[in-house]
Amino acid sequence: MPEAASRRDAPIGVFDSGVGGLTVLRALRAALPAEDFVYLGDTARLPYGSKSAQTVCRYSLQAAEVLVQRGVKMLVVACNTASSVALDALRERHARLPVVGVLEPGAAAAAAATQNGAVAVIATEGTVRGGAYPRAIESLRPGLRVVQRACPLFVALAEEGWTDGPVAEAVARRYLEPLFSVPDAPDTLLLGCTHFPALMAPIRRAVGDRVMLVDSAATTARATAEGLATLRLAKEAGIGRLRLLATDGPERFARVGALFAGESVAAEDVELVDL
Ligand code: DGL
């Protein structure tokens, strides 16, 4: 097979700190049904959100290495924390591999959505500390006001499956009401973490109907599709296959992952790998 054709037929690698990135994978598979995907969840080392930038960078390079070994033609960093601290290092280490992160598409969607010029970003502690979202949003539309809040308990709630009900509702109100009950409150809320779309219902109730909720799954899928088309790497036909890899606990990956994937996941289909 000529080299260009075999590259087109290679899978797309996607990685996240765990199962939350399956929300991004779901959007990717819907947008690119012919493509094969290899998804790696670094479940042994989740959460990334509470770790230092150096550690997340090191973990991200190791995760990418596994996917590169599997011959991927493109890398999608589905984890917001990894996207906010490791994209430059990944692009430097794998100079010939196109790397798409959730950060830039999410920032672009939020910058385009706001009408009153104020955006709120909620994410993990690491993403908020690094300030990558405000930098990306302000560079796209200088003059926008960006406020941030770390919401680490949302990750735990989503992993526990407590995505609605009184506990999720109380946590959402505690985190979000201070951002939205002030004069000149943002009219746009960017969900800057893989897990947060799972808590859409309590988040919506806490912020009210008038705030636009933006998440990066669909925009990242679009950016990936555009990247493939520009580089002439899109697979032309067929039904895409999926390979799931995890660094710990295929059973837990399958059980919790189903919530994010929107479909059942069988533990036997999850391959345990070491980084
Ligand atoms: N995947 C992470 C993110 O999107 C959330 C979970 C974690 O802290 O590892 O930031």
Side-chain angles (χ1 to χ4, degrees):
M1 201 184 309
E3 206 205 332
S6 77
R7 233 181 132 215
R8 274 202 298 275
D9 287 340
I12 296 171
V14 182
F15 87 86
D16 178 45
S17 55
V19 292
L22 292 170
T23 50
V24 178
L25 180 72
R26 185 177 172 181
L28 285 164
R29 294 182 75 203
L32 298 162
E35 298 292 341
D36 296 335
F37 289 92
V38 187
Y39 178 96
L40 168 63
D42 190 7
T43 41
R45 303 190 294 191
L46 176 116
Y48 281 12
S50 56
K51 301 201 166 71
S52 69
Q54 289 84 342
T55 299
V56 172
C57 218
R58 181 158 52 86
Y59 288 178
S60 301
L61 289 169
Q62 290 170 347
E65 199 56 54
V66 168
L67 294 170
V68 167
Q69 294 303 325
R70 303 227 170 193
V72 299
K73 63 182 172 186
M74 184 179 255
L75 183 65
V76 179
V77 184
C79 177
N80 291 258
T81 309
S83 291
S84 68
V85 299
L87 279 185
D88 289 345
L90 287 164
R91 286 177 177 145
E92 198 175 310
R93 174 78 59 91
H94 301 286
R96 294 188 52 217
L97 185 70
V99 179
V100 177
V102 287
L103 181 96
E104 290 135 341
T114 182
Q115 308 219 326
N116 76 350
V119 173
V121 177
I122 54 172
T124 64
E125 283 173 60
T127 303
V128 166
R129 195 174 50 234
Y133 269 115
R135 275 197 301 282
I137 293 170
E138 285 156 13
S139 76
L140 289 164
R141 267 183 75 185
L144 288 189
R145 188 163 57 84
V146 183
V147 293
Q148 299 193 89
R149 169 108 212 211
C151 302
L153 285 180
F154 281 166
V155 173
L157 286 170
E159 292 266 326
E160 193 62 29
W162 292 9
T163 51
D164 209 351
V167 178
E169 182 124 6
V171 173
R173 287 195 189 285
R174 179 81 185 260
Y175 280 141
L176 299 173
E177 275 177 358
L179 296 179
F180 291 94
S181 58
V182 291
D184 300 327
D187 65 353
T188 301
L189 174 63
L190 172 58
L191 309 182
C193 174
T194 47
H195 287 58
F196 296 179
L199 289 123
M200 198 68 101
I203 290 173
R204 165 58 73 206
R205 281 196 294 277
V207 301
D209 288 339
R210 300 223 306 275
V211 172
M212 176 90 84
L213 300 186
V214 176
D215 86 73
S216 43
T219 40
T220 299
R222 231 172 4 250
T224 306
E226 281 163 17
L228 288 175
T230 308
L231 297 165
R232 297 182 187 282
L233 281 177
K235 213 172 141 195
E236 270 142 26
I239 297 174
R241 284 163 305 179
L242 171 63
R243 224 182 151 84
L244 296 170
L245 315 177
T247 52
D248 190 37
E251 291 75 21
R252 187 170 205 285
F253 184 104
R255 180 166 44 81
V256 184
L259 175 73
F260 296 93
E263 59 183 310
S264 62
V265 179
E268 310 77 72
D269 294 337
V270 183
E271 183 187 340
L272 195 58
V273 294
D274 202 6
L275 301 191

